[in-house]
Amino acid sequence: MKTLIDSTNALIGGMAAIRRQFGVPAQFPPAVLAAAETAAHRAPSAHVDRTDQPFVTLDPATSTDLDQAFTIERSGSDLLLHYAIADVAWFVDDGDVVDREAWQRGTTLYLPDGKAGLYPPVLAEGAASLLPAVLRPAVIFTTRVDTAGNAHLDGAERAVIRSIAKLAYDGVKAADLPVDFDEFARRIEAAESRRGAARVDPPEQEVDALGDGRYQLVFRPRLRAEDQNAALSLASNVAIAAALLAARTGLFRVMPEPDQKAVQRLRQSARALGLSWPDMQSLVQFEKTLNPNDSSHAAFMLAVRRASGGAGYVPYRDGIVPWHAPMAATYAHASAPLRRLADRYVVRAALAVANGQPVPPAVSAAFEQLPAVMARADARDGQIDRNVIDLAEALMLQGSEGTTFEAVVTDADEHGLRIQLCELPVVTRVHGQGGKPGDRIRVKLTSADPLQHTVTFERAG
């Protein structure tokens, strides 16, 4: 990938502009910080002792807001996943100042130059984070997985745990993990394949600093340990969703399949990237052939994510089965309460349901309000991600003004043509008509403005 020259501090200026444009909070109000500091000293008193269990965490090496820890044991031919989730609700009360601030934020925002947390660091990276070698309150969900990969929620409890290791994706060894970690992931992946799931997990696009004002736009390779770790969350979230649905309550993550028009655009994107997608092969089947560590494949996987119509949240409704098409299952978000507001309430509901208790009224009320709150937060996250990518693309193309590129038309409407460059994973528009999906055209780069994080092309020839 082309090296990005930032001699004029365009990257720094562009990131600052994005933060201002989308109102990314620079800090927490003093009252919130003070309340979080007080809450951080709240000792667990409704928790059983599970410090004898060998929990570990597995995350990016730099992560300090650790939502999940896990251990796995055998039960006959079944596997039992004990999945400890940070007990954020122990530190945050309904309606308190920390809670109100979290409702304003919705999610933790991640940008290349730093994050804006959902909760103050004293909680998110301290008292509530499942850091190693210290006592931490958690909610342990026990999920039973049979030999076919079917997941069932066996129980849930509030407990004190002590993680024995903070493991990192890029350095973890098999000996560091529970003995059946690989087998657990294999079972979940096999179950996904049987039910026709099509999870899209592309590598993340990042801007790496090379020094001397130089940067590089790269796809961070997705490691096998990440996919295996994702299987733990997936199994728990599917099992929790099923339990909530059976109890006629909950908040669910839903996502439609790409419609036929979107699939046709994706076929043109595959062609632009030089990928061979047989006419008789479905999108789900084609996705299973992709390698996320191949840059062309990764670019296509990102295009699939954009084409899927967007995920959302819905509360339980009688007679409606909420569905997440890429998971091919009813699904809930419960595994990241330090980073997503909704997860804190799903955890509380699942804990109640698993123990035969009524869901707290405040949680049921929150389920009705959270879809709109999380939609706004997700939309802002998506806009920020898109602007960051636009900024990086502008930096990548800066200095190439006047250069002609080959492109494929992926869509056409009254506003012009939507195109994808053949040489680079750049999706953009050109004004004018005279093209239809599938046409190969040549376009000339007329401007690349990192400060405005925009690129402009015109038809060539």
Side-chain angles (χ1 to χ4, degrees):
M1 190 66 75
K2 181 181 176 181
T3 299
L4 314 176
I5 307 299
D6 192 30
S7 58
T8 61
N9 291 324
L11 178 64
I12 296 173
M15 292 306 308
I18 289 171
R19 285 178 172 272
R20 289 193 300 272
Q21 179 182 354
F22 293 102
V24 177
Q27 57 191 4
F28 285 90
V32 175
L33 292 174
E37 183 69 41
T38 299
H41 293 90
R42 190 176 295 171
S45 60
H47 302 69
V48 297
D49 187 342
R50 294 289 181 256
T51 55
D52 61 327
Q53 296 190 8
F55 284 97
V56 297
T57 61
L58 181 57
D59 298 274
T62 57
S63 294
T64 53
D65 48 351
L66 309 182
D67 290 287
Q68 317 107 15
F70 61 90
T71 187
I72 301 170
E73 65 173 318
R74 287 267 174 174
S75 176
S77 61
D78 294 344
L79 297 179
L80 294 181
L81 167 65
H82 302 296
Y83 207 41
I85 305 299
D87 192 0
V88 181
W90 183 251
F91 300 99
V92 181
D93 294 327
D94 294 322
D96 72 12
V97 65
V98 179
D99 179 50
R100 294 197 300 272
E101 180 70 15
W103 276 79
Q104 291 296 317
R105 297 183 177 223
T107 62
T108 293
L109 296 173
Y110 294 92
L111 289 87
D113 59 346
K115 66 185 178 185
L118 177 62
Y119 299 104
V122 69
L123 295 178
E125 300 174 46
S129 179
L130 304 183
L131 298 165
V134 291
L135 300 180
R136 286 293 184 263
V139 177
I140 300 176
F141 292 103
T142 297
T143 298
R144 180 180 295 272
V145 174
D146 63 21
T147 56
N150 300 307
H152 173 77
L153 185 64
D154 258 18
E157 62 179 3
R158 269 183 152 160
V160 174
I161 70 164
R162 182 190 289 112
S163 170
I164 62 173
K166 179 180 182 293
L167 307 176
Y169 292 136
D170 58 359
V172 66
K173 299 179 177 60
D176 301 327
L177 294 160
V179 172
D180 288 306
F181 182 75
D182 286 351
E183 172 62 13
F184 189 95
R186 187 200 65 77
R187 291 186 183 187
I188 296 303
E189 290 164 355
E192 285 186 286
S193 181
R194 281 194 301 273
R195 67 176 187 259
R199 280 189 295 146
V200 179
D201 293 315
E204 296 179 6
Q205 201 171 12
E206 294 182 343
V207 179
D208 287 347
L210 302 177
D212 300 325
R214 296 178 303 121
Y215 298 85
Q216 193 172 30
L217 180 64
V218 297
F219 282 114
R220 181 178 61 79
R222 187 170 177 85
L223 304 173
R224 174 58 180 159
E226 292 182 77
D227 291 326
Q228 293 175 306
N229 194 42
L232 307 182
S233 291
L234 186 146
S236 299
N237 287 335
V238 166
I240 287 170
L244 293 175
L245 186 64
R248 302 165 66 88
T249 186
L251 182 73
F252 303 94
R253 188 68 165 166
V254 295
M255 189 173 185
E257 295 179 355
D259 61 25
Q260 191 57 41
K261 186 175 182 180
V263 171
Q264 290 303 315
R265 286 197 298 267
L266 287 170
R267 285 192 174 275
Q268 303 309 327
S269 292
R271 178 182 173 186
L273 291 164
L275 306 181
S276 177
W277 181 358
D279 290 340
M280 299 304 294
Q281 194 174 56
S282 70
L283 175 60
V284 170
Q285 293 169 331
F286 180 55
E287 286 182 272
K288 294 182 184 301
T289 70
L290 300 177
N291 174 12
N293 294 322
D294 180 293
S295 60
S296 295
H297 291 202
F300 181 80
M301 295 170 79
L302 288 168
V304 173
R305 175 178 286 179
R306 291 193 296 267
S308 296
Y313 292 88
V314 297
Y316 172 80
R317 292 289 185 265
D318 285 340
I320 298 176
V321 177
W323 199 248
H324 195 292
M327 300 294 182
T330 297
Y331 193 68
H333 271 167
S335 54
L338 290 173
R339 288 169 278 178
R340 291 187 301 245
L341 174 65
D343 293 40
R344 170 157 55 100
Y345 294 91
V346 174
V347 167
R348 292 172 65 187
L351 178 63
V353 166
N355 289 283
Q357 299 171 355
V359 174
V363 173
S364 297
F367 286 159
E368 298 299 318
Q369 300 167 0
L370 280 165
V373 172
M374 297 305 295
R376 287 195 297 271
D378 285 347
R380 183 171 66 167
D381 290 355
Q383 290 171 328
I384 289 173
D385 287 345
R386 182 64 253 172
N387 275 267
V388 168
I389 291 171
D390 288 345
L391 170 63
E393 290 176 346
L395 281 166
M396 179 178 63
L397 291 168
Q398 188 179 34
S400 297
E401 290 83 352
T403 301
T404 300
F405 297 87
E406 187 173 3
V408 169
V409 177
T410 61
D411 198 7
D413 57 29
E414 66 274 14
H415 303 295
L417 306 177
R418 182 179 175 87
I419 61 171
Q420 179 157 345
L421 302 190
C422 296
E423 294 93 341
L424 298 169
V426 174
V427 176
T428 186
R429 281 185 173 273
V430 294
H431 293 294
Q433 304 301 313
K436 62 182 184 301
D439 285 352
R440 284 184 176 267
I441 63 173
R442 296 190 67 78
V443 295
K444 183 173 70 174
L445 178 66
T446 58
S447 70
D449 186 347
L451 285 176
Q452 297 297 321
H453 36 92
T454 60
V455 295
T456 305
F457 290 87
E458 64 180 23
R459 293 285 292 267

